[in-house]
Amino acid sequence: MMKNRTIPNAALRALAISGLALALAACGGATAPDAGSAMVEDAEDRADRAREAVRADAAEAVTVPEAFATPMTPEDNIDSVASWTAPDGQVLLLATAKSTHRLVVYDGATGALVRHVGERGAGAGQFDRPNGIAVADDLAFVVERDNRRVQVLRLPGMQTVAEFGADVLKLPYGLWINEVDGGYEIYVTDAWMTGEDAQGEDILPPLDQLDRRVHRFAFAPQGNGFAARHVGAFGDTSPDGALRVVESLWGDPANDQLLIAEEDETYANEFKVYDLAGKYSGRTIGAEFLQAQAEGIVLKTCADGSGWWITTEQGKGRTSFHLFERGSLDHVGAVAGPTVANTDGIWLHDAPATGFPDGVLYAVHDDQGAVAIDWREIASALELPACAR
């Protein structure tokens, strides 16, 4: 979640959103919040006022139990999570802590705190505003917004083995890793702005400058280390396809689809569909279902080629997770936990683990920790067919 910024016709959009909130209230939905109420957040994480105006009752989401919650540490400002399985079968859940500039490691079976990694700085093993995180094989890739780089650490020791991107990235947030023969193709979102207005709000670049919202890097072993190469950047510049405010993304190589969350709520709550080469497909999903900010994205895959996209509707009071069919992108339903709210990143541990024979969804909870939701609970609640791995 990012702070507000000035965009063309923002006032007109705000009026339209306010009208929608009143209409929802008249129909028994959520009422618009008190305009004078204050929100306690850091400067980056100030929510759009429009966001609270359109928050609707999430009762349409089926409630599923949460297996556990990690310790809640508000000082950390947790953003994103990713998991890794050790050779002995233990699952570790890694989380980025933006305000304390470190990684937090939990036991993936119980949520218990295992340890902290790193401190503030620009050296190896140090972080400055770590945001996105992803794991591939025994490597953890961490996006650092304020160091403008991706740092790569080898698990489980967390030794830094590479860093890249500082020469081209301006304000990176999220990433997705596509494993290819002999290495990885890494997609990194870059939500740079053109400055701030008199109220300290970000100013969105004009459409014709949004052609570098996602960067692609090739990353592969070389000698005793690794080599990274910038492959290019992309972003549609049409009103429909432009990536205004970006963080989360995830891809499906089998169907040549890349979903990218649009976080500019004054424009839309939706996911834009691109292909892996960076071309906008002309399609978006979620706008008719999401009543709060579009956020985390993961993909559940099945052996027969089917599966489901799991996406996040970041409600302040309650997070809903909307599922869409893989390939067709048809909406199949939504689930929500009894407590999890204000979710940024999510991660699907799509393998058997202690207590979770069919996998587990990890979701950030209110910037303070994470919860775990058994995949079996999600599949049962939405009556999904069996999914062989």
Side-chain angles (χ1 to χ4, degrees):
M1 178 169 57
M2 305 170 201
K3 66 181 180 180
N4 300 337
R5 64 271 155 292
T6 301
I7 62 172
N9 296 323
L12 291 176
R13 291 190 181 111
L15 288 172
I17 291 169
S18 296
L20 174 59
L22 291 174
L24 287 169
C27 295
T31 58
D34 180 359
S37 62
M39 298 179 66
V40 181
E41 295 178 323
D42 68 15
E44 181 211 354
D45 288 334
R46 290 198 302 269
D48 289 334
R49 285 174 290 277
R51 170 188 174 144
E52 291 307 298
V54 302
R55 177 62 189 155
D57 190 344
E60 73 278 2
V62 181
T63 299
V64 294
E66 296 158 1
F68 65 74
T70 68
M72 298 291 107
T73 53
E75 68 276 9
D76 279 324
N77 196 353
I78 301 295
D79 186 272
S80 299
V81 289
S83 66
W84 174 76
T85 304
D88 64 2
Q90 181 187 20
V91 174
L92 296 179
L93 179 64
L94 287 63
T96 54
K98 296 186 293 188
S99 293
T100 52
H101 310 283
R102 62 186 182 184
L103 304 182
V104 185
V105 183
Y106 308 102
D107 185 312
T110 67
L113 176 66
V114 175
R115 62 174 169 140
H116 296 109
V117 176
E119 61 184 1
R120 189 170 196 173
Q126 297 178 321
F127 306 96
D128 199 348
R129 197 75 176 182
N131 200 82
I133 186 169
V135 169
D137 297 319
D138 63 349
L139 299 175
F141 295 76
V142 182
V143 177
E144 299 175 63
R145 189 197 70 175
D146 290 356
N147 274 333
R148 305 193 319 278
R149 69 180 180 183
V150 178
Q151 186 172 178
V152 188
L153 301 92
R154 188 181 297 281
L155 295 157
M158 300 287 190
Q159 304 93 345
T160 299
V161 296
E163 62 176 77
F164 60 89
D167 55 334
V168 292
L169 297 172
K170 295 182 178 180
L171 205 68
Y173 277 89
L175 78 165
W176 171 67
I177 301 172
N178 182 22
E179 298 189 35
V180 295
D181 291 341
Y184 313 92
E185 186 176 35
I186 301 166
Y187 292 67
V188 182
T189 54
D190 197 356
W192 63 275
M193 299 290 169
T194 57
E196 295 183 347
D197 62 18
Q199 287 72 45
E201 308 294 354
D202 286 334
I203 301 173
L204 187 72
L207 290 179
D208 62 5
Q209 294 182 23
L210 296 179
D211 58 347
R212 297 176 65 82
R213 270 316 199 217
V214 181
H215 290 261
R216 295 167 60 199
F217 298 88
F219 185 83
Q222 184 177 83
N224 294 324
F226 295 88
R229 176 174 55 89
H230 186 243
V231 176
F234 62 84
D236 196 88
T237 57
S238 70
D240 290 339
L243 302 169
R244 290 162 175 80
V245 180
V246 290
E247 180 175 4
S248 300
L249 76 170
W250 201 275
D252 180 7
N255 290 292
D256 194 20
Q257 291 177 337
L258 182 70
L259 264 60
I260 307 172
E262 175 60 78
E263 292 197 14
D264 182 357
E265 287 188 273
T266 60
Y267 174 76
N269 295 312
E270 65 186 14
F271 299 93
K272 289 192 167 67
V273 184
Y274 275 64
D275 64 22
L276 296 189
K279 182 179 180 181
Y280 174 53
S281 70
R283 184 176 182 185
T284 65
I285 63 171
E288 64 270 49
F289 304 106
L290 276 64
Q291 298 298 323
Q293 191 175 70
E295 263 288 353
I297 313 165
V298 292
L299 179 64
K300 170 74 172 178
T301 61
C302 306
D304 63 0
S306 65
W308 301 273
W309 291 96
I310 308 171
T311 66
T312 307
E313 176 189 327
Q314 189 185 25
K316 289 291 288 185
R318 189 188 196 197
T319 294
S320 294
F321 303 101
H322 291 261
L323 275 69
F324 299 85
E325 283 187 348
R326 183 185 187 188
S328 73
L329 303 179
D330 292 337
H331 188 260
V332 298
V335 297
T339 63
V340 64
N342 196 28
T343 299
D344 280 303
I346 59 174
W347 183 269
L348 181 68
H349 188 83
D350 197 11
T354 302
F356 307 109
D358 292 338
V360 53
L361 177 69
Y362 296 113
V364 170
H365 174 45
D366 204 22
D367 301 334
Q368 303 176 54
V371 304
I373 301 176
D374 192 323
W375 171 256
R376 293 173 299 178
E377 299 289 354
I378 298 173
S380 175
L382 299 181
E383 300 181 346
L384 302 178
C387 175
R389 296 189 68 255

PDB file of all heavy atoms in Angstrom, residues 192-225:
ATOM      1  N   TRP A 192       7.791   4.482  -9.403  1.00  0.00           N
ATOM      2  CA  TRP A 192       8.343   5.830  -9.208  1.00  0.00           C
ATOM      3  C   TRP A 192       7.310   6.898  -9.554  1.00  0.00           C
ATOM      4  O   TRP A 192       6.397   6.675 -10.339  1.00  0.00           O
ATOM      5  CB  TRP A 192       9.599   6.017 -10.060  1.00  0.00           C
ATOM      6  CG  TRP A 192       9.362   5.915 -11.544  1.00  0.00           C
ATOM      7  CD1 TRP A 192       9.322   4.783 -12.292  1.00  0.00           C
ATOM      8  CD2 TRP A 192       9.102   6.998 -12.434  1.00  0.00           C
ATOM      9  NE1 TRP A 192       9.054   5.079 -13.607  1.00  0.00           N
ATOM     10  CE2 TRP A 192       8.922   6.440 -13.729  1.00  0.00           C
ATOM     11  CE3 TRP A 192       9.016   8.384 -12.287  1.00  0.00           C
ATOM     12  CZ2 TRP A 192       8.660   7.208 -14.844  1.00  0.00           C
ATOM     13  CZ3 TRP A 192       8.758   9.159 -13.398  1.00  0.00           C
ATOM     14  CH2 TRP A 192       8.589   8.589 -14.668  1.00  0.00           C
ATOM     15  N   MET A 193       7.440   8.040  -8.903  1.00  0.00           N
ATOM     16  CA  MET A 193       6.543   9.162  -9.128  1.00  0.00           C
ATOM     17  C   MET A 193       7.357  10.384  -9.583  1.00  0.00           C
ATOM     18  O   MET A 193       8.593  10.362  -9.570  1.00  0.00           O
ATOM     19  CB  MET A 193       5.756   9.487  -7.848  1.00  0.00           C
ATOM     20  CG  MET A 193       4.877   8.338  -7.369  1.00  0.00           C
ATOM     21  SD  MET A 193       3.463   8.045  -8.468  1.00  0.00           S
ATOM     22  CE  MET A 193       2.859   6.475  -7.842  1.00  0.00           C
ATOM     23  N   THR A 194       6.668  11.428  -9.968  1.00  0.00           N
ATOM     24  CA  THR A 194       7.365  12.608 -10.483  1.00  0.00           C
ATOM     25  C   THR A 194       7.604  13.663  -9.416  1.00  0.00           C
ATOM     26  O   THR A 194       8.096  14.747  -9.726  1.00  0.00           O
ATOM     27  CB  THR A 194       6.585  13.243 -11.649  1.00  0.00           C
ATOM     28  OG1 THR A 194       5.264  13.577 -11.203  1.00  0.00           O
ATOM     29  CG2 THR A 194       6.501  12.296 -12.821  1.00  0.00           C
ATOM     30  N   GLY A 195       7.251  13.361  -8.173  1.00  0.00           N
ATOM     31  CA  GLY A 195       7.444  14.312  -7.085  1.00  0.00           C
ATOM     32  C   GLY A 195       6.244  14.325  -6.162  1.00  0.00           C
ATOM     33  O   GLY A 195       5.420  13.408  -6.179  1.00  0.00           O
ATOM     34  N   GLU A 196       6.157  15.366  -5.345  1.00  0.00           N
ATOM     35  CA  GLU A 196       5.048  15.522  -4.406  1.00  0.00           C
ATOM     36  C   GLU A 196       4.407  16.888  -4.569  1.00  0.00           C
ATOM     37  O   GLU A 196       5.067  17.856  -4.950  1.00  0.00           O
ATOM     38  CB  GLU A 196       5.533  15.358  -2.965  1.00  0.00           C
ATOM     39  CG  GLU A 196       6.041  13.970  -2.627  1.00  0.00           C
ATOM     40  CD  GLU A 196       6.428  13.849  -1.167  1.00  0.00           C
ATOM     41  OE1 GLU A 196       6.533  14.906  -0.494  1.00  0.00           O
ATOM     42  OE2 GLU A 196       6.623  12.715  -0.689  1.00  0.00           O
ATOM     43  N   ASP A 197       3.108  16.950  -4.255  1.00  0.00           N
ATOM     44  CA  ASP A 197       2.418  18.229  -4.313  1.00  0.00           C
ATOM     45  C   ASP A 197       2.570  18.960  -2.975  1.00  0.00           C
ATOM     46  O   ASP A 197       3.289  18.507  -2.078  1.00  0.00           O
ATOM     47  CB  ASP A 197       0.946  18.034  -4.686  1.00  0.00           C
ATOM     48  CG  ASP A 197       0.180  17.204  -3.669  1.00  0.00           C
ATOM     49  OD1 ASP A 197       0.652  17.042  -2.523  1.00  0.00           O
ATOM     50  OD2 ASP A 197      -0.912  16.710  -4.012  1.00  0.00           O
ATOM     51  N   ALA A 198       1.887  20.085  -2.819  1.00  0.00           N
ATOM     52  CA  ALA A 198       2.019  20.901  -1.621  1.00  0.00           C
ATOM     53  C   ALA A 198       1.546  20.177  -0.370  1.00  0.00           C
ATOM     54  O   ALA A 198       1.951  20.505   0.750  1.00  0.00           O
ATOM     55  CB  ALA A 198       1.244  22.211  -1.788  1.00  0.00           C
ATOM     56  N   GLN A 199       0.677  19.178  -0.523  1.00  0.00           N
ATOM     57  CA  GLN A 199       0.182  18.410   0.615  1.00  0.00           C
ATOM     58  C   GLN A 199       1.031  17.162   0.896  1.00  0.00           C
ATOM     59  O   GLN A 199       0.706  16.367   1.769  1.00  0.00           O
ATOM     60  CB  GLN A 199      -1.263  17.966   0.366  1.00  0.00           C
ATOM     61  CG  GLN A 199      -2.290  19.096   0.458  1.00  0.00           C
ATOM     62  CD  GLN A 199      -2.199  20.044  -0.738  1.00  0.00           C
ATOM     63  OE1 GLN A 199      -2.105  19.591  -1.879  1.00  0.00           O
ATOM     64  NE2 GLN A 199      -2.215  21.335  -0.472  1.00  0.00           N
ATOM     65  N   GLY A 200       2.124  17.013   0.150  1.00  0.00           N
ATOM     66  CA  GLY A 200       2.992  15.866   0.361  1.00  0.00           C
ATOM     67  C   GLY A 200       2.521  14.593  -0.307  1.00  0.00           C
ATOM     68  O   GLY A 200       3.025  13.503  -0.008  1.00  0.00           O
ATOM     69  N   GLU A 201       1.572  14.717  -1.219  1.00  0.00           N
ATOM     70  CA  GLU A 201       1.055  13.542  -1.922  1.00  0.00           C
ATOM     71  C   GLU A 201       1.833  13.318  -3.217  1.00  0.00           C
ATOM     72  O   GLU A 201       2.265  14.253  -3.885  1.00  0.00           O
ATOM     73  CB  GLU A 201      -0.429  13.725  -2.244  1.00  0.00           C
ATOM     74  CG  GLU A 201      -1.294  14.123  -1.057  1.00  0.00           C
ATOM     75  CD  GLU A 201      -1.379  13.025   0.000  1.00  0.00           C
ATOM     76  OE1 GLU A 201      -0.861  11.927  -0.256  1.00  0.00           O
ATOM     77  OE2 GLU A 201      -1.971  13.274   1.059  1.00  0.00           O
ATOM     78  N   ASP A 202       2.025  12.052  -3.565  1.00  0.00           N
ATOM     79  CA  ASP A 202       2.764  11.714  -4.782  1.00  0.00           C
ATOM     80  C   ASP A 202       2.036  12.191  -6.033  1.00  0.00           C
ATOM     81  O   ASP A 202       0.802  12.153  -6.097  1.00  0.00           O
ATOM     82  CB  ASP A 202       2.958  10.203  -4.872  1.00  0.00           C
ATOM     83  CG  ASP A 202       3.997   9.691  -3.894  1.00  0.00           C
ATOM     84  OD1 ASP A 202       4.885  10.469  -3.521  1.00  0.00           O
ATOM     85  OD2 ASP A 202       3.914   8.510  -3.505  1.00  0.00           O
ATOM     86  N   ILE A 203       2.796  12.597  -7.016  1.00  0.00           N
ATOM     87  CA  ILE A 203       2.261  13.005  -8.308  1.00  0.00           C
ATOM     88  C   ILE A 203       2.566  11.914  -9.326  1.00  0.00           C
ATOM     89  O   ILE A 203       3.728  11.561  -9.551  1.00  0.00           O
ATOM     90  CB  ILE A 203       2.867  14.339  -8.772  1.00  0.00           C
ATOM     91  CG1 ILE A 203       2.581  15.438  -7.744  1.00  0.00           C
ATOM     92  CG2 ILE A 203       2.324  14.734 -10.148  1.00  0.00           C
ATOM     93  CD1 ILE A 203       3.283  16.746  -8.041  1.00  0.00           C
ATOM     94  N   LEU A 204       1.508  11.360  -9.903  1.00  0.00           N
ATOM     95  CA  LEU A 204       1.655  10.285 -10.869  1.00  0.00           C
ATOM     96  C   LEU A 204       2.256  10.808 -12.173  1.00  0.00           C
ATOM     97  O   LEU A 204       1.865  11.863 -12.663  1.00  0.00           O
ATOM     98  CB  LEU A 204       0.283   9.670 -11.141  1.00  0.00           C
ATOM     99  CG  LEU A 204       0.240   8.407 -12.002  1.00  0.00           C
ATOM    100  CD1 LEU A 204       0.777   7.225 -11.224  1.00  0.00           C
ATOM    101  CD2 LEU A 204      -1.180   8.142 -12.467  1.00  0.00           C
ATOM    102  N   PRO A 205       3.207  10.081 -12.774  1.00  0.00           N
ATOM    103  CA  PRO A 205       3.729  10.493 -14.081  1.00  0.00           C
ATOM    104  C   PRO A 205       2.627  10.479 -15.131  1.00  0.00           C
ATOM    105  O   PRO A 205       1.645   9.735 -15.014  1.00  0.00           O
ATOM    106  CB  PRO A 205       4.791   9.429 -14.383  1.00  0.00           C
ATOM    107  CG  PRO A 205       5.138   8.827 -13.067  1.00  0.00           C
ATOM    108  CD  PRO A 205       3.884   8.877 -12.258  1.00  0.00           C
ATOM    109  N   PRO A 206       2.762  11.272 -16.186  1.00  0.00           N
ATOM    110  CA  PRO A 206       1.789  11.206 -17.289  1.00  0.00           C
ATOM    111  C   PRO A 206       1.838   9.830 -17.951  1.00  0.00           C
ATOM    112  O   PRO A 206       2.830   9.099 -17.844  1.00  0.00           O
ATOM    113  CB  PRO A 206       2.253  12.309 -18.246  1.00  0.00           C
ATOM    114  CG  PRO A 206       3.680  12.563 -17.892  1.00  0.00           C
ATOM    115  CD  PRO A 206       3.814  12.276 -16.428  1.00  0.00           C
ATOM    116  N   LEU A 207       0.747   9.479 -18.643  1.00  0.00           N
ATOM    117  CA  LEU A 207       0.640   8.149 -19.220  1.00  0.00           C
ATOM    118  C   LEU A 207       1.815   7.787 -20.113  1.00  0.00           C
ATOM    119  O   LEU A 207       2.298   6.647 -20.096  1.00  0.00           O
ATOM    120  CB  LEU A 207      -0.671   8.030 -20.009  1.00  0.00           C
ATOM    121  CG  LEU A 207      -1.966   8.003 -19.199  1.00  0.00           C
ATOM    122  CD1 LEU A 207      -3.162   7.911 -20.143  1.00  0.00           C
ATOM    123  CD2 LEU A 207      -1.983   6.853 -18.209  1.00  0.00           C
ATOM    124  N   ASP A 208       2.300   8.744 -20.910  1.00  0.00           N
ATOM    125  CA  ASP A 208       3.349   8.411 -21.865  1.00  0.00           C
ATOM    126  C   ASP A 208       4.693   8.120 -21.205  1.00  0.00           C
ATOM    127  O   ASP A 208       5.648   7.723 -21.874  1.00  0.00           O
ATOM    128  CB  ASP A 208       3.497   9.510 -22.923  1.00  0.00           C
ATOM    129  CG  ASP A 208       3.907  10.858 -22.338  1.00  0.00           C
ATOM    130  OD1 ASP A 208       4.174  10.950 -21.119  1.00  0.00           O
ATOM    131  OD2 ASP A 208       3.950  11.845 -23.111  1.00  0.00           O
ATOM    132  N   GLN A 209       4.773   8.300 -19.868  1.00  0.00           N
ATOM    133  CA  GLN A 209       5.999   7.967 -19.142  1.00  0.00           C
ATOM    134  C   GLN A 209       5.858   6.688 -18.315  1.00  0.00           C
ATOM    135  O   GLN A 209       6.748   6.348 -17.531  1.00  0.00           O
ATOM    136  CB  GLN A 209       6.401   9.132 -18.235  1.00  0.00           C
ATOM    137  CG  GLN A 209       6.811  10.386 -18.981  1.00  0.00           C
ATOM    138  CD  GLN A 209       7.245  11.513 -18.051  1.00  0.00           C
ATOM    139  OE1 GLN A 209       7.653  11.280 -16.907  1.00  0.00           O
ATOM    140  NE2 GLN A 209       7.148  12.751 -18.532  1.00  0.00           N
ATOM    141  N   LEU A 210       4.762   5.964 -18.503  1.00  0.00           N
ATOM    142  CA  LEU A 210       4.527   4.751 -17.723  1.00  0.00           C
ATOM    143  C   LEU A 210       4.936   3.482 -18.469  1.00  0.00           C
ATOM    144  O   LEU A 210       4.412   2.401 -18.210  1.00  0.00           O
ATOM    145  CB  LEU A 210       3.047   4.670 -17.325  1.00  0.00           C
ATOM    146  CG  LEU A 210       2.544   5.788 -16.403  1.00  0.00           C
ATOM    147  CD1 LEU A 210       1.064   5.599 -16.102  1.00  0.00           C
ATOM    148  CD2 LEU A 210       3.356   5.830 -15.110  1.00  0.00           C
ATOM    149  N   ASP A 211       5.883   3.613 -19.373  1.00  0.00           N
ATOM    150  CA  ASP A 211       6.298   2.470 -20.182  1.00  0.00           C
ATOM    151  C   ASP A 211       7.427   1.663 -19.551  1.00  0.00           C
ATOM    152  O   ASP A 211       7.961   0.743 -20.164  1.00  0.00           O
ATOM    153  CB  ASP A 211       6.724   2.931 -21.577  1.00  0.00           C
ATOM    154  CG  ASP A 211       7.862   3.939 -21.546  1.00  0.00           C
ATOM    155  OD1 ASP A 211       8.168   4.482 -20.466  1.00  0.00           O
ATOM    156  OD2 ASP A 211       8.456   4.199 -22.621  1.00  0.00           O
ATOM    157  N   ARG A 212       7.783   1.980 -18.286  1.00  0.00           N
ATOM    158  CA  ARG A 212       8.838   1.234 -17.592  1.00  0.00           C
ATOM    159  C   ARG A 212       8.377   0.877 -16.167  1.00  0.00           C
ATOM    160  O   ARG A 212       9.149   0.941 -15.213  1.00  0.00           O
ATOM    161  CB  ARG A 212      10.135   2.050 -17.551  1.00  0.00           C
ATOM    162  CG  ARG A 212      10.717   2.326 -18.929  1.00  0.00           C
ATOM    163  CD  ARG A 212      11.950   3.209 -18.864  1.00  0.00           C
ATOM    164  NE  ARG A 212      13.071   2.579 -18.187  1.00  0.00           N
ATOM    165  CZ  ARG A 212      13.909   1.729 -18.748  1.00  0.00           C
ATOM    166  NH1 ARG A 212      13.737   1.368 -20.026  1.00  0.00           N
ATOM    167  NH2 ARG A 212      14.920   1.210 -18.071  1.00  0.00           N
ATOM    168  N   ARG A 213       7.118   0.464 -16.056  1.00  0.00           N
ATOM    169  CA  ARG A 213       6.571   0.117 -14.743  1.00  0.00           C
ATOM    170  C   ARG A 213       7.041  -1.258 -14.268  1.00  0.00           C
ATOM    171  O   ARG A 213       7.025  -1.548 -13.081  1.00  0.00           O
ATOM    172  CB  ARG A 213       5.043   0.140 -14.784  1.00  0.00           C
ATOM    173  CG  ARG A 213       4.366   1.472 -14.457  1.00  0.00           C
ATOM    174  CD  ARG A 213       4.985   2.133 -13.278  1.00  0.00           C
ATOM    175  NE  ARG A 213       4.162   3.144 -12.641  1.00  0.00           N
ATOM    176  CZ  ARG A 213       4.659   4.255 -12.122  1.00  0.00           C
ATOM    177  NH1 ARG A 213       5.951   4.502 -12.182  1.00  0.00           N
ATOM    178  NH2 ARG A 213       3.869   5.122 -11.511  1.00  0.00           N
ATOM    179  N   VAL A 214       7.410  -2.144 -15.181  1.00  0.00           N
ATOM    180  CA  VAL A 214       7.903  -3.473 -14.822  1.00  0.00           C
ATOM    181  C   VAL A 214       9.228  -3.711 -15.538  1.00  0.00           C
ATOM    182  O   VAL A 214       9.318  -3.542 -16.757  1.00  0.00           O
ATOM    183  CB  VAL A 214       6.899  -4.574 -15.200  1.00  0.00           C
ATOM    184  CG1 VAL A 214       7.435  -5.953 -14.781  1.00  0.00           C
ATOM    185  CG2 VAL A 214       5.537  -4.318 -14.556  1.00  0.00           C
ATOM    186  N   HIS A 215      10.240  -4.090 -14.762  1.00  0.00           N
ATOM    187  CA  HIS A 215      11.559  -4.408 -15.320  1.00  0.00           C
ATOM    188  C   HIS A 215      11.774  -5.913 -15.327  1.00  0.00           C
ATOM    189  O   HIS A 215      11.306  -6.625 -14.427  1.00  0.00           O
ATOM    190  CB  HIS A 215      12.667  -3.746 -14.494  1.00  0.00           C
ATOM    191  CG  HIS A 215      12.726  -2.267 -14.629  1.00  0.00           C
ATOM    192  ND1 HIS A 215      13.618  -1.611 -15.460  1.00  0.00           N
ATOM    193  CD2 HIS A 215      11.985  -1.296 -14.042  1.00  0.00           C
ATOM    194  CE1 HIS A 215      13.430  -0.301 -15.365  1.00  0.00           C
ATOM    195  NE2 HIS A 215      12.451  -0.092 -14.510  1.00  0.00           N
ATOM    196  N   ARG A 216      12.496  -6.381 -16.331  1.00  0.00           N
ATOM    197  CA  ARG A 216      12.824  -7.800 -16.440  1.00  0.00           C
ATOM    198  C   ARG A 216      14.332  -7.986 -16.361  1.00  0.00           C
ATOM    199  O   ARG A 216      15.102  -7.247 -16.987  1.00  0.00           O
ATOM    200  CB  ARG A 216      12.296  -8.372 -17.755  1.00  0.00           C
ATOM    201  CG  ARG A 216      10.780  -8.377 -17.874  1.00  0.00           C
ATOM    202  CD  ARG A 216      10.341  -8.649 -19.302  1.00  0.00           C
ATOM    203  NE  ARG A 216      10.809  -9.933 -19.791  1.00  0.00           N
ATOM    204  CZ  ARG A 216      10.876 -10.252 -21.084  1.00  0.00           C
ATOM    205  NH1 ARG A 216      10.503  -9.371 -22.002  1.00  0.00           N
ATOM    206  NH2 ARG A 216      11.286 -11.439 -21.452  1.00  0.00           N
ATOM    207  N   PHE A 217      14.724  -8.983 -15.570  1.00  0.00           N
ATOM    208  CA  PHE A 217      16.139  -9.309 -15.415  1.00  0.00           C
ATOM    209  C   PHE A 217      16.340 -10.802 -15.666  1.00  0.00           C
ATOM    210  O   PHE A 217      15.488 -11.619 -15.302  1.00  0.00           O
ATOM    211  CB  PHE A 217      16.626  -8.986 -13.996  1.00  0.00           C
ATOM    212  CG  PHE A 217      16.530  -7.537 -13.604  1.00  0.00           C
ATOM    213  CD1 PHE A 217      15.369  -7.042 -13.034  1.00  0.00           C
ATOM    214  CD2 PHE A 217      17.598  -6.669 -13.811  1.00  0.00           C
ATOM    215  CE1 PHE A 217      15.267  -5.711 -12.671  1.00  0.00           C
ATOM    216  CE2 PHE A 217      17.503  -5.334 -13.442  1.00  0.00           C
ATOM    217  CZ  PHE A 217      16.341  -4.853 -12.877  1.00  0.00           C
ATOM    218  N   ALA A 218      17.476 -11.136 -16.277  1.00  0.00           N
ATOM    219  CA  ALA A 218      17.909 -12.524 -16.382  1.00  0.00           C
ATOM    220  C   ALA A 218      18.923 -12.756 -15.268  1.00  0.00           C
ATOM    221  O   ALA A 218      19.836 -11.942 -15.066  1.00  0.00           O
ATOM    222  CB  ALA A 218      18.532 -12.793 -17.742  1.00  0.00           C
ATOM    223  N   PHE A 219      18.759 -13.863 -14.540  1.00  0.00           N
ATOM    224  CA  PHE A 219      19.636 -14.156 -13.400  1.00  0.00           C
ATOM    225  C   PHE A 219      20.002 -15.627 -13.458  1.00  0.00           C
ATOM    226  O   PHE A 219      19.127 -16.491 -13.522  1.00  0.00           O
ATOM    227  CB  PHE A 219      18.914 -13.829 -12.089  1.00  0.00           C
ATOM    228  CG  PHE A 219      19.762 -13.967 -10.852  1.00  0.00           C
ATOM    229  CD1 PHE A 219      20.604 -12.943 -10.460  1.00  0.00           C
ATOM    230  CD2 PHE A 219      19.714 -15.127 -10.087  1.00  0.00           C
ATOM    231  CE1 PHE A 219      21.385 -13.071  -9.318  1.00  0.00           C
ATOM    232  CE2 PHE A 219      20.490 -15.263  -8.945  1.00  0.00           C
ATOM    233  CZ  PHE A 219      21.328 -14.214  -8.558  1.00  0.00           C
ATOM    234  N   ALA A 220      21.311 -15.924 -13.463  1.00  0.00           N
ATOM    235  CA  ALA A 220      21.741 -17.305 -13.636  1.00  0.00           C
ATOM    236  C   ALA A 220      23.102 -17.514 -12.987  1.00  0.00           C
ATOM    237  O   ALA A 220      23.876 -16.556 -12.802  1.00  0.00           O
ATOM    238  CB  ALA A 220      21.812 -17.654 -15.120  1.00  0.00           C
ATOM    239  N   PRO A 221      23.416 -18.763 -12.635  1.00  0.00           N
ATOM    240  CA  PRO A 221      24.753 -19.047 -12.101  1.00  0.00           C
ATOM    241  C   PRO A 221      25.831 -18.714 -13.121  1.00  0.00           C
ATOM    242  O   PRO A 221      25.649 -18.904 -14.329  1.00  0.00           O
ATOM    243  CB  PRO A 221      24.700 -20.558 -11.827  1.00  0.00           C
ATOM    244  CG  PRO A 221      23.254 -20.896 -11.729  1.00  0.00           C
ATOM    245  CD  PRO A 221      22.557 -19.966 -12.678  1.00  0.00           C
ATOM    246  N   GLN A 222      26.958 -18.236 -12.605  1.00  0.00           N
ATOM    247  CA  GLN A 222      28.115 -17.950 -13.465  1.00  0.00           C
ATOM    248  C   GLN A 222      29.372 -18.158 -12.639  1.00  0.00           C
ATOM    249  O   GLN A 222      29.600 -17.433 -11.656  1.00  0.00           O
ATOM    250  CB  GLN A 222      28.058 -16.529 -14.007  1.00  0.00           C
ATOM    251  CG  GLN A 222      29.180 -16.204 -14.993  1.00  0.00           C
ATOM    252  CD  GLN A 222      29.059 -14.805 -15.558  1.00  0.00           C
ATOM    253  OE1 GLN A 222      29.482 -13.835 -14.930  1.00  0.00           O
ATOM    254  NE2 GLN A 222      28.470 -14.696 -16.734  1.00  0.00           N
ATOM    255  N   GLY A 223      30.166 -19.122 -13.021  1.00  0.00           N
ATOM    256  CA  GLY A 223      31.358 -19.435 -12.245  1.00  0.00           C
ATOM    257  C   GLY A 223      30.987 -19.865 -10.837  1.00  0.00           C
ATOM    258  O   GLY A 223      30.139 -20.739 -10.635  1.00  0.00           O
ATOM    259  N   ASN A 224      31.602 -19.224  -9.859  1.00  0.00           N
ATOM    260  CA  ASN A 224      31.295 -19.530  -8.462  1.00  0.00           C
ATOM    261  C   ASN A 224      30.195 -18.641  -7.896  1.00  0.00           C
ATOM    262  O   ASN A 224      29.902 -18.704  -6.697  1.00  0.00           O
ATOM    263  CB  ASN A 224      32.551 -19.376  -7.599  1.00  0.00           C
ATOM    264  CG  ASN A 224      33.615 -20.398  -7.954  1.00  0.00           C
ATOM    265  OD1 ASN A 224      33.301 -21.546  -8.292  1.00  0.00           O
ATOM    266  ND2 ASN A 224      34.882 -19.981  -7.891  1.00  0.00           N
ATOM    267  N   GLY A 225      29.595 -17.801  -8.751  1.00  0.00           N
ATOM    268  CA  GLY A 225      28.569 -16.890  -8.274  1.00  0.00           C
ATOM    269  C   GLY A 225      27.391 -16.828  -9.217  1.00  0.00           C
ATOM    270  O   GLY A 225      26.982 -17.833  -9.813  1.00  0.00           O
TER     271      GLY A 225
END
